Amino acid sequence: MENGDADGKPKRAAGRLCSICNQKKPALKRPKTLEQICRECFYSVFEEEIHNVIVDNHLFKPGERIAVAASGGKDSTVLAYVLSELNRRHNYGLDLFLLSVDEGITGYRDDSLETVRRNEVQYGLPLKVVSYKDLYGWTMDEIVKTIGLKNNCTFCGVFRRQALDRGAALVRADKLVTGHNADDMAETVLLNILRGDIARLSRCTFITTGEDGPIPRCKPFKYTYEKEIVMYAYFKKLDYFSTECIYSPNAYRGFAREFIKDLERIRPQAILDIIRSGENFRISTSTKMPEQGTCEQCGYISSQKLCKACLLLEGLNRGLPKLGIGRSRGPDRAKKDGKQRTLLSGVKGSDLQSKQCGTLDF
Amino acid sequence: MRLTLEFGGGLELLCNSVKIHHVDVDLKTGEDKLSMRDLLTWIKSNLIKERPEMFVKGDSVRPGILALINDCDWELCGSLDAVVEEKDMVVFISTLHGG
Ligand SMILES: [Zn+2]
Ligand SMILES: [Zn+2]
Ligand SMILES: [Zn+2]
């Protein structure tokens, strides 16, 4: 089925040809440009645009050890595939490998880690798996057992945010790349506005962050539409896994997501425009910005003496799991509606609604 | 009308975790074609077992769900007005799941 019309049904859109090659039947409408293009032209513009983003932003240097954050989901699967293609095609000279985090949630990672293990073979990229046990000394299941389900999202979000950085440091990567796409980026800009989080707003659209820290992070899919990522995976028959963290309902983010998708349907360009707005925000010099320091314990960026993760860990280790939860801000605030979700309703109600909590906080 | 319907990207969870469905859709009397609009209604009442709001919004699929007819983006063939025919393959993929 690689070649467009193998099923011999040219009846639809038959009059029109691909607006790039003018020869083949178009297979999709690009949200970015509204062009109708065929599969082969889609593959090449999709890949070459990412290549241009990499080159224009000087994302990599030859010889670097690059950890591709791999969750087994669509974005990271396509990212791993495209990066290994481009690395070969354009001689980036990168030492690429897949990095996965095992949170230690019974049953949850089994399928997605299985997917990443298949990707390891399919794309010929070595895989490193680091567990929460390695990183924090606790599995997510053990944490939930200690604190109950009510506050687990605080842990889930905070630990997840740091897990990749800590994991990348543990396996001595030079850089970490993540699959955050244009839709994610637009959603994050919007969320930071909705939360009045000026500090995050000003840096959430950076293509590379943490350059002063131990592991810089970059996002080669910053301008890549989610629709194109999913279409690419579908046409190329890339193997990915789709389910949510069972501990992660996040209503607020869910609404922002829905809003972005509604806008996109009316005017797909809106996504790039929101990113551009984020990029062009200038913060007035009179705005008080939180001071950015590093955690005394682990070196992760933190405005306090201890970062949130270390504070939560201290609480867990001292048998005071509530330590650090009270002052939490951000996504968890949306949960203070008194509705405590049980594990079961979390599974049923949230798995299609929103992305994993914490995965998109920059 | 016999069709092959495929649900991916997590949408299969709404239809008993079955991805591929070979179905036979009854047409309105006197008609030999089916619009995507009609097909969505049929799917909603015949295949979706839970949380239909995850699949449809208004009279269309929920924004963020991609649809392909014979591997062609439905936005190229008229979206809701696109016509499906005997033995067509229609694929729905959610982009809303974690990445
Ligand atoms: Zn073409
Ligand atoms: Zn959570
Ligand atoms: Zn710390």
Side-chain angles (χ1 to χ4, degrees):
Chain A
M1 297 286 276
E2 271 291 295
N3 293 313
D5 239 2
D7 56 355
K9 285 196 175 177
K11 53 194 183 237
R12 286 180 206 86
R16 287 214 172 106
L17 292 172
C18 166
S19 58
I20 293 177
C21 66
N22 237 315
Q23 286 177 355
K24 294 197 189 101
K25 191 190 136 192
L28 84 156
K29 187 165 171 183
R30 293 200 79 190
K32 203 178 268 192
T33 60
L34 305 181
E35 287 169 300
Q36 317 199 348
I37 57 177
C38 73
R39 249 187 229 208
E40 286 70 25
C41 291
F42 170 54
Y43 295 154
S44 53
V45 289
F46 182 90
E47 292 158 6
E48 287 313 296
E49 276 181 17
I50 293 159
H51 171 62
N52 291 338
V53 167
I54 289 170
V55 172
D56 294 348
N57 294 280
H58 313 285
L59 292 191
F60 309 121
K61 289 189 204 78
E64 277 182 332
R65 232 172 109 65
I66 306 293
V68 183
S71 66
K74 60 184 165 50
D75 300 307
S76 60
T77 298
V78 175
L79 181 65
Y81 177 86
V82 171
L83 278 186
S84 76
E85 277 297 305
L86 293 176
N87 190 34
R88 241 190 318 266
R89 188 183 306 162
H90 297 286
N91 299 311
Y92 292 165
L94 301 177
D95 176 8
L96 289 172
F97 64 97
L98 303 170
L99 175 65
S100 280
V101 175
D102 183 354
E103 293 87 347
I105 302 174
T106 308
Y108 166 59
R109 276 294 172 201
D110 301 353
D111 293 339
S112 58
L113 276 177
E114 229 15 79
T115 308
V116 180
R117 287 205 178 94
R118 282 198 301 273
N119 293 162
E120 174 182 25
V121 178
Q122 289 156 351
Y123 314 150
L125 296 175
L127 166 68
K128 308 247 181 230
V129 181
V130 292
S131 70
Y132 268 26
K133 200 85 182 169
D134 300 331
L135 300 174
Y136 300 115
W138 291 75
T139 70
M140 212 39 219
D141 279 345
E142 288 167 351
I143 293 170
V144 171
K145 217 175 277 166
T146 311
I147 60 160
L149 272 167
K150 193 173 173 191
N151 285 309
N152 70 72
C153 250
T154 304
F155 286 88
C156 193
V158 169
F159 282 5
R160 204 190 287 266
R161 213 167 302 148
Q162 281 198 19
L164 285 168
D165 299 86
R166 289 182 178 224
L170 198 69
V171 299
R172 305 182 180 287
D174 293 310
K175 255 172 211 161
L176 178 67
V177 291
T178 62
H180 292 93
N181 59 47
D183 300 51
D184 296 332
M185 192 69 88
E187 178 187 301
T188 304
V189 170
L190 206 64
L191 274 175
N192 286 330
I193 293 172
L194 295 176
R195 290 174 183 152
D197 193 334
I198 302 304
R200 281 218 173 85
L201 177 60
S202 64
R203 60 171 190 263
C204 74
T205 55
F206 294 172
I207 194 163
T208 303
T209 51
E211 279 166 302
D212 43 354
I215 307 284
R217 251 187 199 230
C218 50
K219 309 179 188 80
F221 281 173
K222 177 181 171 187
Y223 299 108
T224 307
Y225 276 67
E226 191 156 61
K227 172 180 172 179
E228 295 199 356
I229 292 171
V230 174
M231 283 285 191
Y232 188 89
Y234 175 75
F235 288 142
K236 290 256 182 188
K237 305 212 183 310
L238 301 183
D239 182 10
Y240 70 88
F241 178 74
S242 38
T243 197
E244 298 301 295
C245 164
I246 55 171
Y247 296 137
S248 67
N250 180 345
Y252 208 50
R253 189 173 275 285
F255 284 124
R257 191 64 166 185
E258 185 104 10
F259 179 62
I260 296 277
K261 289 294 176 188
D262 286 346
L263 284 179
E264 181 184 12
R265 176 165 286 178
I266 303 164
R267 201 176 68 91
Q269 180 71 31
I271 288 184
L272 288 181
D273 289 343
I274 294 172
I275 297 174
R276 205 143 291 140
S277 300
E279 289 171 339
N280 291 314
F281 265 112
R282 291 288 173 273
I283 291 142
S284 83
T285 46
S286 62
T287 307
K288 231 183 125 194
M289 298 289 279
E291 238 171 89
Q292 202 68 261
T294 51
C295 169
E296 285 182 1
Q297 195 101 33
C298 71
Y300 192 80
I301 50 159
S302 170
S303 49
Q304 312 288 321
K305 229 173 69 163
L306 285 186
C307 74
K308 193 83 188 191
C310 288
L311 190 65
L312 290 174
L313 273 177
E314 197 185 310
L316 280 174
N317 295 332
R318 284 170 46 196
L320 302 165
K322 296 279 152 61
L323 194 68
I325 289 176
R327 267 167 293 157
S328 98
R329 43 159 299 286
D332 315 294
R333 207 177 270 169
K335 291 206 69 214
K336 287 187 182 150
D337 54 6
K339 258 186 279 167
Q340 187 193 332
R341 285 171 194 265
T342 63
L343 178 57
L344 203 66
S345 75
V347 174
K348 269 189 89 67
S350 72
D351 53 0
L352 271 169
Q353 236 151 18
S354 61
K355 294 211 148 191
Q356 296 167 358
C357 78
T359 50
L360 298 167
D361 286 300
F362 294 80
Chain B
M1 177 182 291
R2 280 168 303 162
L3 298 171
T4 303
L5 306 178
E6 192 180 323
F7 297 86
L11 286 176
E12 66 274 17
L13 297 174
L14 305 179
C15 357
N16 288 337
S17 297
V18 177
K19 285 193 177 213
I20 296 174
H21 299 251
H22 298 281
V23 301
D24 198 343
V25 181
D26 287 326
L27 297 176
K28 288 179 205 147
T29 37
E31 288 187 18
D32 61 345
K33 282 181 179 171
L34 186 73
S35 71
M36 282 296 284
R37 186 179 283 104
D38 298 333
L39 180 61
L40 289 180
T41 311
W42 187 90
I43 290 171
K44 197 180 158 189
S45 42
N46 292 278
L47 288 185
I48 303 291
K49 303 292 179 207
E50 53 177 298
R51 289 175 288 152
E53 70 279 5
M54 295 290 160
F55 182 63
V56 287
K57 183 170 178 180
D59 65 350
S60 190
V61 291
R62 199 175 158 207
I65 293 177
L66 308 179
L68 297 100
I69 306 170
N70 300 326
D71 277 349
C72 176
D73 186 355
W74 78 326
E75 292 183 41
L76 295 179
C77 11
S79 304
L80 283 172
D81 295 321
V83 168
V84 287
E85 291 169 17
E86 180 73 18
K87 297 215 174 88
D88 275 352
M89 179 176 73
V90 182
V91 178
F92 298 96
I93 313 169
S94 174
T95 66
L96 302 166
H97 260 100

